[in-house]
Amino acid sequence: MILLAACAGWSLITAAVHDGRPEGMLLAVLAMAGGYAAGRVSGALLPVAAPCAGAAAGLATAAALPGLSPGPWYTAPLGCAGATAALLALAAGAACCAARAATTPGLRFGTGALACATVPVGIAMGSVAGSVAGTAVMLCSLAAGSVRARGPWLAGLAGAAGLAAVTVWAAAADALPAGLARALGDRFPAQRVAQWQDALGLADRNSALGVGPGRFGELSRAVPGPLLSDGRPHSAPLQQAAEQGLIGVCLLAAAFCWVLYALWRSSRPTPVTLTAGAALTALAVLASVSDALSFTAVTAGAGLLAGWATARPWTGDTTPSGR
């Protein structure tokens, strides 16, 4: 809670200095905290049913929201971009956690089938990233069944998320080899790399406090006209760097590292914690190359999954295993 309060407080400070709009960051912090609290409570009472219901809700949300009319950023349709892929990854993680916590073959089969459903749903919606993320989470969950020491695996997940962020940062700084930079640019919409470069330029000129929350769209010249109507660079680390400076980036990284630490300390079985860690790492990777964290459904879902994986069930074995 201290860390989330620091994130909210820093956004207010930088907004006051540059006349920014901290509402988006405050809403994300509130959604994360509320989701985590709800996950801890529901996970303690219903360690299988709660994540199973959450997975079904995530699939339904990803399938239903693209049909809504455009609105403010927090109700905008998810489309087939990072937010949809993030919801599918979180849904796969929640279903796999439920399958790992289930004690009967019928429940394991049902929750496993729910996890597998994320792949065809992603294909049907045209979200290749969502299908790949869901498949990766399920494979990690299968591999987690034979893991005894969770620490090295969680460290590896942290390294994977860090590698994704560093790669995007290097692409923005034009520091990647020509072939890799060209391949990366071909994977994303036109001008995406230009947006990253513009965000890095703003961060270089305002490294201490950034330009203020919500002000990237006003100051960016990367994409003229309505193409930048959402006002975001589509990369959470670069957006934090541009709008809230290096301290904002450190707070974002600290929040992710704290979640992994909580999973390492969790009394839940190792396969459950590693599955949740894999889903949250997939979210971190997607957030590095998209605007996934700008949607309340995604941040609340991440909090819920972290809460379910760190809850202490009122029944069953609560002895920590495999740290």
Side-chain angles (χ1 to χ4, degrees):
M1 297 307 297
I2 293 174
L3 181 58
L4 291 178
C7 293
W10 183 247
S11 68
L12 291 173
I13 292 172
T14 54
V17 172
H18 294 292
D19 194 24
R21 296 179 297 276
E23 293 84 1
M25 184 66 180
L26 296 177
L27 184 58
V29 170
L30 180 61
M32 180 73 180
Y36 182 72
R40 288 295 297 259
V41 174
S42 60
L45 296 173
L46 303 167
V48 177
C52 184
L59 282 174
T61 302
L65 282 187
L68 298 180
S69 300
W73 72 266
Y74 48 85
T75 58
L78 299 182
C80 295
T84 298
L87 281 177
L88 293 175
L90 292 174
C96 289
C97 285
R100 285 297 181 181
T103 56
T104 62
L107 280 176
R108 289 177 182 172
F109 178 80
T111 51
L114 182 60
C116 293
T118 59
V119 177
V121 168
I123 294 174
M125 297 176 61
S127 178
V128 177
S131 297
V132 171
T135 302
V137 170
M138 288 187 288
L139 291 176
C140 288
S141 181
L142 289 174
S146 60
V147 175
R148 294 295 176 264
R150 66 181 70 172
W153 282 74
L154 291 173
L157 294 176
L163 179 61
V166 168
T167 301
V168 171
W169 204 288
D174 199 19
L176 291 176
L180 181 58
R182 186 164 49 252
L184 187 64
D186 292 342
R187 295 289 181 179
F188 298 100
Q191 300 297 326
R192 177 65 55 85
V193 175
Q195 290 173 284
W196 295 345
Q197 292 172 341
D198 208 36
L200 186 59
L202 292 175
D204 288 339
R205 295 190 294 272
N206 304 271
S207 59
L209 297 173
V211 298
R215 299 195 65 216
F216 175 80
E218 300 174 8
L219 302 175
S220 174
R221 296 182 177 87
V223 183
L227 291 179
L228 197 60
S229 58
D230 61 357
R232 293 186 291 268
H234 292 259
S235 174
L238 289 175
Q239 181 172 353
Q240 284 292 96
E243 296 184 347
Q244 298 186 40
L246 293 179
I247 294 180
V249 177
C250 291
L251 288 172
L252 181 65
F256 177 71
C257 291
W258 181 88
V259 170
L260 294 183
Y261 174 77
L263 292 174
W264 178 67
R265 295 287 300 174
S266 174
S267 60
R268 299 299 303 276
T270 293
V272 173
T273 58
L274 293 185
T275 297
L280 293 171
T281 300
L283 170 60
V285 172
L286 290 168
S288 295
V289 296
S290 72
D291 59 346
L293 293 184
S294 297
F295 294 85
T296 306
V298 174
T299 51
L304 279 167
L305 181 58
W308 290 325
T310 56
R312 297 181 179 181
W314 286 6
T315 59
D317 183 14
T318 59
T319 302
S321 60
R323 290 182 190 172

